[in-house]
Amino acid sequence: MIARVTANGLVVEARGLAKSYGARRVVDDVSFEVAAGECVGLLGPNGAGKTTTIKMVTCFLPPDAGALRVAGLPMEPRHHRAIKRRLGIVHQEDSLDPDLSVEKNLTIYASYFDVPAAAARRRAAELIDFAALAEHRRSRIRTLSGGMKRRLMLARALLNDPALLVLDEPTTGLDPQARRLVWERIRQLKTRGTTILLTTHYMEEAARLCDRLIIMDGGRIVAAGTTAELIARCVGDEVVEVRLADDADDHARFVAALAGGPWRVERAGQMVYVQLRGGDGDERLARALVGREFTRRCATLEDVFLTLTGHSLRD
């Protein structure tokens, strides 16, 4: 039996992690913690360093620098096997065996962790019910929908009762109904005290599921905190979205009308986003908006993400 957490109750402790590919540093001085029972979201645009960070936490890549402890053990080659036995991982890609049934995918996977056959069958039955797949326990994988496969991969990741569950884009490609069912299962795991590290590009998913968020960009952590803390700190209370005419003069006139006001203004194409705090400057803003097409709404986590990482598309 290995330790699940360190003496201070942490499942993951990362200090100054760095990783380079040739001359390009993709993770640069990254430090964070995941406490037992916490669901922490790792967010960022493509190329931010999220995947590389996850690979270091899950023993797939060695850090070039820094210190890392997972499940109570230092990330050293001699401990990799023991750490992996305490991890449950749901990858983005489907890695189920298409020639086996739902039940067999679970019981055979359990054997990799030396779970006795009788215990593996009991655990598989429990997790099949948890994944809402009881009617499909004998179905071949190729007959399942995308949502069923994602729930089965989640169930498989729980077979070894992991100290840390890593969910890498767990609902990518799912329709809204399937996505919400996966969310419900993750919420159930949270109520049971499962420790989760989650990456996602869905801001609603992150806001609904995560206790704390870490936002990365350019290989570094640019902000961390709860959803409410990040919105208050980085954006404010409300956002006004304004659609401008497709000419530079109109943009210049609108920006000039707002210059020096108690707000932050960002532009993306023909859209301008005005971030407000406490209704300050409402009368002046109202005058600037006369005759324009706009929407006023509450600030969201997506506004935080775009404010910190930019509005430009990245591949």
Side-chain angles (χ1 to χ4, degrees):
M1 175 67 71
I2 70 169
R4 285 175 171 261
V5 296
T6 55
N8 55 5
L10 299 176
V11 178
V12 179
E13 289 182 278
R15 298 284 181 268
L17 292 185
K19 186 68 183 178
S20 298
Y21 296 121
R24 185 168 63 98
R25 176 154 288 199
V26 294
V27 173
D28 186 9
D29 193 24
V30 165
S31 299
F32 66 95
E33 300 171 346
V34 181
E38 206 178 18
C39 179
V40 173
L42 193 60
L43 310 180
N46 292 332
K50 306 185 305 297
T51 298
T52 300
T53 300
I54 290 293
K55 286 182 176 180
M56 288 190 282
V57 170
T58 54
C59 305
F60 285 94
L61 275 178
D64 292 339
L68 179 61
R69 292 181 68 89
V70 177
L73 291 172
M75 185 61 69
E76 300 170 359
R78 63 194 177 100
H79 293 308
H80 283 182
R81 182 181 178 89
I83 291 172
K84 287 179 179 180
R85 292 179 68 87
R86 304 308 306 139
L87 298 177
I89 306 174
V90 177
H91 295 287
Q92 292 183 39
E93 300 82 13
D94 173 11
S95 58
L96 300 167
D97 190 324
D99 296 321
L100 299 178
S101 68
V102 165
E103 188 173 42
K104 282 293 186 182
N105 262 273
L106 296 182
T107 55
I108 290 178
Y109 189 79
S111 68
Y112 301 153
F113 296 92
D114 299 323
V115 179
R121 287 192 296 271
R122 288 195 302 271
R123 183 70 172 148
E126 293 169 0
L127 290 169
I128 286 171
D129 288 340
F130 169 78
L133 292 171
E135 295 181 3
H136 303 276
R137 68 174 63 246
R138 293 184 176 81
S139 299
R140 297 293 179 94
I141 299 305
R142 57 173 54 93
T143 69
L144 303 183
S145 68
M148 292 176 183
K149 291 177 182 177
R150 296 307 288 174
R151 300 201 304 274
L152 181 57
M153 289 184 66
L154 178 59
R156 189 182 66 177
L158 296 168
L159 275 167
N160 58 322
D161 187 24
L164 177 66
L165 178 63
V166 179
L167 305 177
D168 190 9
E169 303 285 347
T171 62
T172 295
L174 300 186
D175 61 44
Q177 291 88 349
R179 181 178 300 127
R180 288 177 183 272
L181 185 52
V182 172
W183 288 355
E184 179 57 33
R185 292 303 180 265
I186 295 172
R187 278 193 287 262
Q188 289 179 25
L189 293 172
K190 288 182 59 180
T191 63
R192 299 175 187 179
T194 303
T195 306
I196 302 171
L197 181 59
L198 178 149
T199 72
T200 181
H201 284 294
Y202 296 116
M203 295 300 105
E204 182 186 3
E205 181 167 286
R208 284 174 176 262
L209 298 178
C210 298
D211 301 307
R212 253 187 333 113
L213 300 165
I214 298 166
I215 301 179
M216 295 184 66
D217 195 23
R220 301 180 69 91
I221 293 175
V222 294
T226 67
T227 296
E229 289 169 348
L230 290 170
I231 291 173
R233 185 192 319 150
C234 302
V235 181
D237 303 310
E238 296 179 290
V239 175
V240 178
E241 300 180 358
V242 188
R243 180 172 292 279
L244 300 180
D246 191 15
D247 69 76
D249 290 341
D250 185 58
H251 175 244
R253 285 192 299 270
F254 184 68
V255 170
L258 297 180
W263 39 57
R264 176 176 177 148
V265 180
E266 295 191 348
R267 185 181 182 185
Q270 291 179 250
M271 297 300 298
V272 170
Y273 301 89
V274 185
Q275 299 173 357
L276 306 175
R277 294 183 183 274
D280 291 341
D282 270 357
E283 291 184 9
R284 181 180 169 189
L285 179 61
R287 290 194 298 271
L289 292 173
V290 171
R292 297 188 179 278
E293 179 185 345
F294 70 92
T295 300
R296 185 166 181 164
R297 57 171 174 77
C298 292
T300 68
L301 183 61
E302 184 168 323
D303 296 311
V304 174
F305 185 90
L306 294 174
T307 294
L308 293 174
T309 66
H311 292 262
S312 300
L313 179 65
R314 303 189 197 179
D315 295 320

